[in-house]
Amino acid sequence: MITSRDVARLAGVSQPTVSRALRDDPKVSEATKQRVREAATALGYAPNAIGRALSVGRSTRVGLVVTDLENQFYAHVIAPMHQELERLGHELVLITESSEAAPVAEHVLAHGLCGVVLATTTVDSVLPTRLRDRGVPFVYFNRTALAVPADSVTVDPERGVRDLLADVVGQGHRRIGAIFGPRNTSTGEQREQVVRAVLDEYGIALAHRDVRHGPFDFRAGHEGAHALLDGDDPPTAVLCANDVVALGALNAAAELGVAVPGDVSVAGFDDLPTSSWALVRLSTVAYDLDAMSREAARLLVRRVDDPHAEPVRAVYPTRYIARATVAAPRA
Amino acid sequence: MITSRDVARLAGVSQPTVSRALRDDPKVSEATKQRVREAATALGYAPNAIGRALSVGRSTRVGLVVTDLENQFYAHVIAPMHQELERLGHELVLITESSEAAPVAEHVLAHGLCGVVLATTTVDSVLPTRLRDRGVPFVYFNRTALAVPADSVTVDPERGVRDLLADVVGQGHRRIGAIFGPRNTSTGEQREQVVRAVLDEYGIALAHRDVRHGPFDFRAGHEGAHALLDGDDPPTAVLCANDVVALGALNAAAELGVAVPGDVSVAGFDDLPTSSWALVRLSTVAYDLDAMSREAARLLVRRVDDPHAEPVRAVYPTRYIARATVAAPRA
DNA sequence: ACGGCCACTGTATGCGTATGCACGACCAGG
DNA sequence: CCTGGTCGTGCATACGCATACAGTGGCCGT
């Protein structure tokens, strides 16, 4: 391995001067910088991140805390976030939040991560508290747990859901069912509230038997839709917690021979690429997940550089995209 | 941060003794180990991975080199691999192979990764050579570049493709088209060869105009199928490089109003979860991607521990899964 | 001409852990 | 009683980089 010492020897300076020169310290003369840079490129020197991390007390690695790596949704979070972090000179390491929060917090410290993005926070998680107590910078992504304030990047479902429901109700649906997300997630809770509030404006209430709750995964949508649609008097429309859930529901409908949107309308939330497939054509609520992921990366890096900056709460707007899974109920 | 020195003070021993005791060095007496362990848990001490990495010259972080993080396929690689690595006490960091190979190799050294998994090698990539020259342990996953020998985990398409083609040909297809993968990937090349060889046994040759080549992504399948199916005399079956490509093809068919399998049969390779959706029901060639991903993780860790171990080449068998996208051509 | 300041560079040290080596204690054998 | 060995522990140091601090030399002002 080529070290700064090797570069120093070649450039005829001391090791600290190499360190300073390459980091563009103004206290080093231009001439020296030039020589050092030449020596560095001649040797193919690259600073050792481990050494630097040990020295400065923190690394350039940020963790992304996620529970369900197989979930399609996160692929579209990881990719842009990773790209943005790379652009900023940081690395992405994946962390799955296995049951206990303590391991995650310890993990962060022990491995010298400079900060973490929490993408699957539950409102009752102790992880944010732990991180705050240990002084680990973090940002909420998508979901939050506002008891512990921090930078956050979230979505405002209002506009999109309002327009979605305008379409659904406008088409004539009155018996509306829903497969909501977990109550202990801010996104699940918030979307449910908005749906109920807007429907209330139309004088529509969700029947208890038409409502399901479950995780944000395919299975929840699949099982939920089976339960909702298999009876003798199913709702004419099913609102889903997100697109992945909606995909589960669409497939359940297909299995049951229930036509979409002929027999039942289905709507999602997220507008994943899959949702625009010709085989799917899911009517859903869209927002800029890509931009959000990048912003989360930037916010975290900013936070790491300046731990006392005022927390920013970025909120992304939503819009309804009418495709082919919402239509008028059968007469 | 709590260091081994703090533990040493509390336990009344020296710092090196703490280091040895916690790593279960036989040269430390049981009594001392006991005291050290107690002190460590009392303080909530966790060894600092950075310090250790600097000291031993390598870390416990392994890189996964991938080009297309959005690709569904890799979600099903990353999840199990990550889990297995975690089990083995390692971390996963994502690396995207941006154009040049040099950056990746340097990156690995600079960030002290203990090894990498190459999941998107091309046969003409210089990365394997670079890694070998720099002594960085690595394993090939899925694809290989055999010019540079190393551990590898791959798939043997033979059995699955043979059975698939038996079905396709048995159903009566003679005009068969294909959207193959890139020629500079071992998987693309190998699958194409097997397909051609087996078809040859049936006395069938692929017409030049019925063959497309492209990356292993949705778009390639989508555009390829548009090209193949939009003419006045399309093939009656389209073999796809993998499931993601097949999904692109299925959607293109849907857009064109071409019925599957009524007007055209479509087959894939991989058997991703999506392929078994009721909306998709893709006939495809399956293998145990989950087990492969885990094995790659284990092999890499083994290689890191013993750089001179004999390279192992794990090859996974395939089997054909007939679902609903392959049927007899229209009379 | 000399004090003082600025610009630059080198020296020394620290970050947390691992490890070669030396040392002391203790025991057995001669 | 001394020698030689073993066992357990501490000491010193290394890993690669960053940084506080201590110089060194030159230049300017008086």
Side-chain angles (χ1 to χ4, degrees):
Chain A
M1 174 178 279
I2 297 151
T3 74
S4 59
R5 202 161 256 109
D6 299 321
V7 177
R9 203 169 303 129
L10 179 61
V13 297
S14 70
Q15 175 268 320
T17 297
V18 171
S19 171
R20 285 187 277 248
L22 295 180
R23 307 185 64 247
D24 213 31
D25 188 316
K27 291 189 299 183
V28 175
S29 72
E30 259 319 312
T32 307
K33 279 183 189 170
Q34 191 56 33
R35 250 186 318 141
V36 169
R37 275 193 286 256
E38 279 164 15
T41 52
L43 294 175
Y45 168 75
N48 180 304
I50 306 265
R52 175 196 301 247
L54 187 59
S55 183
V56 303
R58 65 182 160 85
S59 70
T60 55
R61 299 195 321 264
V62 331
L64 174 62
V65 182
V66 165
T67 50
D68 181 11
L69 274 175
E70 313 245 7
N71 197 311
Q72 248 188 86
F73 179 80
Y74 293 109
H76 301 289
V77 172
I78 292 173
M81 193 176 286
H82 176 267
Q83 198 185 4
E84 188 74 7
L85 284 171
E86 185 172 62
R87 204 178 62 76
L88 296 169
H90 289 247
E91 295 154 278
L92 214 211
V93 354
L94 297 175
I95 305 176
T96 48
E97 186 172 9
S98 35
S99 56
E100 289 303 310
V104 175
E106 305 311 346
H107 180 103
V108 169
L109 263 7
H111 291 79
L113 302 192
C114 62
V116 293
V117 176
L118 300 185
T120 49
T121 326
T122 53
V123 296
D124 47 2
S125 169
V126 295
L127 183 51
T129 313
R130 279 244 156 70
L131 293 174
R132 186 198 47 195
D133 292 349
R134 287 174 173 66
V136 177
F138 69 94
V139 323
Y140 293 114
F141 180 78
N142 193 25
R143 308 184 191 173
T144 60
L146 287 182
V148 185
D151 298 302
S152 65
V153 180
T154 56
V155 154
D156 175 11
E158 177 82 20
R159 178 79 264 149
V161 168
R162 187 169 288 280
D163 292 348
L164 159 64
L165 293 177
D167 187 14
V168 171
V169 175
Q171 299 265 8
H173 293 274
R174 293 299 176 269
R175 261 297 295 295
I176 298 175
I179 304 171
F180 290 125
R183 286 227 178 75
N184 66 350
T185 61
S186 63
T187 45
E189 178 69 11
Q190 185 182 33
R191 287 174 208 169
E192 176 168 356
Q193 279 180 8
V194 172
V195 164
R196 289 185 186 275
V198 174
L199 284 180
D200 193 55
E201 296 175 14
Y202 288 108
I204 297 176
L206 298 174
H208 187 69
R209 70 175 186 290
D210 292 338
V211 175
R212 289 287 182 286
H213 284 88
F216 288 108
D217 60 21
F218 185 90
R219 190 175 183 185
H222 189 260
E223 293 180 356
H226 262 285
L228 291 179
L229 301 178
D230 209 12
D232 43 342
D233 181 30
T236 64
V238 175
L239 309 174
C240 297
N242 71 6
D243 278 10
V244 171
V245 171
L247 289 166
L250 289 178
N251 280 286
E255 290 162 15
L256 293 168
V258 172
V260 177
D263 298 320
V264 65
S265 289
V266 174
F269 193 105
D270 284 345
D271 192 35
L272 299 181
T274 306
S275 304
S276 63
W277 286 3
L279 289 180
V280 175
R281 307 240 285 142
L282 178 67
S283 294
T284 190
V285 174
Y287 56 93
D288 197 339
L289 183 58
D290 195 274
M292 281 177 63
S293 308
R294 303 185 120 87
E295 172 148 21
R298 286 194 301 272
L299 280 182
L300 181 59
V301 171
R302 187 195 69 122
R303 169 72 39 194
V304 168
D305 290 342
D306 178 8
H308 301 297
E310 199 59 24
V312 347
R313 299 168 56 168
V315 179
Y316 282 68
T318 50
R319 67 179 195 287
Y320 174 53
I321 297 190
R323 281 198 276 252
T325 58
V326 170
R330 280 210 201 290
Chain B
M1 173 178 280
I2 297 152
T3 74
S4 57
R5 204 160 255 110
D6 299 322
V7 177
R9 203 169 303 126
L10 179 59
V13 297
S14 71
Q15 175 269 321
T17 296
V18 170
S19 171
R20 285 188 275 249
L22 295 180
R23 307 183 63 247
D24 213 29
D25 189 315
K27 289 189 300 183
V28 175
S29 72
E30 257 321 310
T32 307
K33 279 183 188 171
Q34 192 54 33
R35 250 186 318 141
V36 169
R37 275 194 286 257
E38 278 165 14
T41 53
L43 294 175
Y45 168 75
N48 180 306
I50 306 265
R52 174 196 301 248
L54 185 58
S55 185
V56 302
R58 66 182 159 85
S59 69
T60 55
R61 298 194 323 261
V62 331
L64 175 62
V65 182
V66 165
T67 49
D68 181 11
L69 274 175
E70 313 245 7
N71 197 309
Q72 249 189 84
F73 179 79
Y74 293 109
H76 300 288
V77 172
I78 292 173
M81 194 175 285
H82 177 267
Q83 199 185 4
E84 188 74 7
L85 284 171
E86 187 172 61
R87 205 178 61 77
L88 297 169
H90 289 246
E91 294 154 278
L92 214 211
V93 354
L94 296 175
I95 305 176
T96 48
E97 187 173 8
S98 34
S99 56
E100 290 303 310
V104 175
E106 305 310 347
H107 181 103
V108 170
L109 262 7
H111 291 80
L113 302 192
C114 62
V116 292
V117 176
L118 301 184
T120 49
T121 327
T122 52
V123 295
D124 47 2
S125 169
V126 295
L127 183 51
T129 313
R130 278 243 156 68
L131 292 174
R132 185 198 49 195
D133 293 349
R134 286 174 173 66
V136 177
F138 69 95
V139 323
Y140 293 115
F141 180 78
N142 193 26
R143 308 183 191 175
T144 60
L146 287 182
V148 185
D151 298 302
S152 66
V153 181
T154 56
V155 154
D156 174 11
E158 177 82 19
R159 177 79 263 151
V161 168
R162 187 169 288 279
D163 291 348
L164 159 64
L165 293 177
D167 187 15
V168 170
V169 176
Q171 298 265 7
H173 293 275
R174 292 298 176 270
R175 263 295 296 294
I176 298 175
I179 305 170
F180 289 126
R183 286 227 178 74
N184 66 350
T185 61
S186 63
T187 44
E189 179 68 12
Q190 185 182 32
R191 288 174 208 171
E192 176 167 357
Q193 279 180 8
V194 172
V195 164
R196 289 185 186 275
V198 174
L199 284 179
D200 193 55
E201 296 175 14
Y202 289 108
I204 297 175
L206 298 174
H208 188 68
R209 71 176 184 289
D210 292 338
V211 174
R212 289 287 182 285
H213 284 89
F216 288 108
D217 60 21
F218 185 90
R219 191 176 183 181
H222 189 260
E223 292 180 357
H226 263 285
L228 291 179
L229 302 178
D230 209 11
D232 42 342
D233 180 29
T236 64
V238 175
L239 309 173
C240 297
N242 72 7
D243 278 10
V244 171
V245 172
L247 289 166
L250 288 178
N251 280 286
E255 290 163 16
L256 292 168
V258 173
V260 177
D263 298 320
V264 65
S265 289
V266 174
F269 193 104
D270 285 345
D271 192 35
L272 299 180
T274 306
S275 304
S276 63
W277 286 4
L279 289 179
V280 175
R281 306 240 285 142
L282 178 67
S283 294
T284 191
V285 173
Y287 55 93
D288 197 340
L289 183 57
D290 195 273
M292 282 177 62
S293 308
R294 303 184 122 86
E295 173 148 21
R298 287 194 301 272
L299 280 182
L300 181 59
V301 171
R302 187 195 70 123
R303 169 72 39 195
V304 168
D305 290 341
D306 178 8
H308 301 297
E310 199 58 24
V312 346
R313 299 168 55 169
V315 179
Y316 282 68
T318 50
R319 67 179 195 287
Y320 174 52
I321 297 189
R323 281 198 275 251
T325 58
V326 170
R330 279 209 201 292

